[in-house]
Amino acid sequence: MDIDTLFKAFRKCRIAVIGDLMLDKYIFGHVSRISPEYPVPVVDVTRQEFRLGGAANVAVNTRAMGAETILIGVTGADADAHSVRQLLEDAGIAPEHIVTDRSRPTTSKTRILSQNHHITRVDHEKRTPVDEHIEQEIIRKIEEKLDALDAVILEDYNKGVLTPRVIREVIALANRHKVPVLVDPKLQGFFNYQGCTVFKPNLSEIAASLGTVLTNNSEDIEKACRELKEKMECRDLVVTRSEKGITICNDKFTHIPAASLEVADVSGAGDTVIAILALGIAAGLSITQSAEIANLAAGTVCQEVGAVAVKPEKLRNACLAYFSG
């Protein structure tokens, strides 16, 4: 595999990401005392950062690899929405396909950290499904772009954007246009994605969806995958298994060990995996090759705190070491 040729191919891909976008806020500081009012730590703030999360982080990952990226999602009409749009523009992603819903806040998650350890998280969100006219706007936006796309990612965080209607119509439209659809699901609505191309749950999501207890060994995983793949009617099932890596289920099973890198934070690793999987499929790679590169990409982002985009040069070096070994 010529990695440089592949990375050039990534830059020619056109990817749409549809789903729950959010604003990740990080408050960094130091804990040196306990509050005299309540027995809780007092964090002396040293800096704050805003980053794109959820579906927006997936879009940032595909864009970081040079792909033309369209992000379709929903924000409120608030200050956080303005921050999301500014961050998208900074990342080279046009915010024109973001729908404003004045009935809900922009989903935000504020993480407070001390010495890179999470103290607490504060969420600001509304999880009810978007209403009919927002659904229609989302469907219209993707329908207008499908002819020019190489792949569609559905990124579900159960915040209300990927309703049964949106899922059903987007998959049907994409299948009609022969555009692969890759899905990163959450438990609610798990079985709504029948007929997608690639379905990428993690271990705990499979266990919960099938109502079973799963140990993280290949025998149990393969048994669960057979049952799930039959239900989902998808071409490829890709299961992320934390420290055990990735398992692919199609006409056979392929187990890919986790990249052996130092892990600082797993936040956003799943976003990176689905982004690189989509780029691989769009560029004409097999699902196994795509998953191998996605696995390496997840390993690189786990070395940093918080959800961060994959760095092309870092991934290139990891690919060169892996595929030449």
Side-chain angles (χ1 to χ4, degrees), residues 190-207:
F190 194 83
F191 292 109
N192 292 338
Y193 293 96
Q194 291 179 332
C196 67
T197 312
V198 179
F199 192 65
K200 187 207 75 68
N202 61 33
L203 185 73
S204 62
E205 288 162 349
I206 289 185

Side-chain angles (χ1 to χ4, degrees), residues 203-255:
L203 185 73
S204 62
E205 288 162 349
I206 289 185
S209 69
L210 297 178
T212 187
V213 176
L214 274 182
T215 54
N216 201 354
N217 64 67
S218 296
E219 184 179 353
D220 276 11
I221 293 297
E222 290 182 8
K223 182 180 177 182
C225 281
R226 289 189 193 96
E227 183 179 350
L228 181 59
K229 191 170 186 299
E230 187 176 336
K231 290 177 181 288
M232 295 310 305
E233 300 173 4
C234 57
R235 190 190 74 185
D236 301 304
L237 181 62
V238 177
V239 182
T240 53
R241 299 172 54 192
S242 300
E243 73 279 1
K244 294 291 184 70
I246 290 175
T247 290
I248 302 166
C249 171
N250 36 44
D251 55 346
K252 61 179 181 179
F253 286 98
T254 305
H255 302 289

Side-chain angles (χ1 to χ4, degrees), residues 6-254:
L6 175 61
F7 277 39
K8 287 178 183 176
F10 286 167
R11 293 195 287 272
K12 296 177 182 177
C13 293
R14 294 156 298 182
I15 310 293
V17 182
I18 310 172
D20 300 301
L21 57 85
M22 55 190 73
L23 182 64
D24 286 339
K25 304 176 182 180
Y26 294 87
I27 299 176
F28 296 91
H30 299 283
V31 173
S32 57
R33 57 199 170 100
I34 300 298
S35 170
E37 300 165 335
Y38 301 99
V40 295
V42 175
V43 178
D44 293 318
V45 176
T46 55
R47 75 181 196 277
Q48 299 184 61
E49 291 182 13
F50 284 5
R51 301 177 192 171
L52 293 166
N57 186 45
V58 177
V60 170
N61 273 272
T62 57
R63 184 71 192 107
M65 295 302 297
E68 180 182 340
T69 301
I70 295 167
L71 176 63
I72 302 173
V74 176
T75 67
D78 49 26
D80 285 346
H82 176 77
S83 296
V84 166
R85 290 171 182 271
Q86 185 60 58
L87 287 169
L88 287 172
E89 289 179 352
D90 293 345
I93 301 169
E96 63 189 277
H97 302 292
I98 305 301
V99 181
T100 300
D101 184 346
R102 295 181 177 277
S103 72
R104 64 177 61 220
T106 301
T107 300
S108 68
K109 300 185 180 301
T110 303
R111 296 170 174 86
I112 301 174
L113 301 93
S114 172
Q115 288 86 36
N116 287 341
H117 294 291
H118 284 79
I119 303 298
T120 191
R121 192 180 87 182
V122 180
D123 292 357
H124 191 214
E125 62 188 19
K126 183 178 180 182
R127 294 187 291 272
T128 55
V130 296
D131 63 28
E132 188 176 343
H133 84 277
I134 299 289
E135 288 180 318
Q136 188 58 46
E137 187 68 7
I138 292 167
I139 294 164
R140 182 187 67 78
K141 285 179 178 291
I142 189 63
E143 189 172 15
E144 288 176 351
K145 296 293 181 180
L146 268 172
D147 281 335
L149 294 176
D150 298 306
V152 173
I153 299 171
L154 297 179
E155 181 67 25
D156 198 349
Y157 274 84
N158 286 164
K159 308 303 180 190
V161 169
L162 291 174
T163 64
R165 179 194 174 194
V166 169
I167 294 166
R168 182 179 63 252
E169 295 199 24
V170 169
I171 290 176
L173 285 166
N175 287 342
R176 202 174 307 147
H177 287 260
K178 294 182 168 50
V179 177
V181 179
L182 296 93
V183 175
D184 194 358
K186 282 290 182 287
L187 188 56
Q188 183 182 331
F190 194 83
F191 292 109
N192 292 338
Y193 293 96
Q194 291 179 332
C196 67
T197 312
V198 179
F199 192 65
K200 187 207 75 68
N202 61 33
L203 185 73
S204 62
E205 288 162 349
I206 289 185
S209 69
L210 297 178
T212 187
V213 176
L214 274 182
T215 54
N216 201 354
N217 64 67
S218 296
E219 184 179 353
D220 276 11
I221 293 297
E222 290 182 8
K223 182 180 177 182
C225 281
R226 289 189 193 96
E227 183 179 350
L228 181 59
K229 191 170 186 299
E230 187 176 336
K231 290 177 181 288
M232 295 310 305
E233 300 173 4
C234 57
R235 190 190 74 185
D236 301 304
L237 181 62
V238 177
V239 182
T240 53
R241 299 172 54 192
S242 300
E243 73 279 1
K244 294 291 184 70
I246 290 175
T247 290
I248 302 166
C249 171
N250 36 44
D251 55 346
K252 61 179 181 179
F253 286 98
T254 305

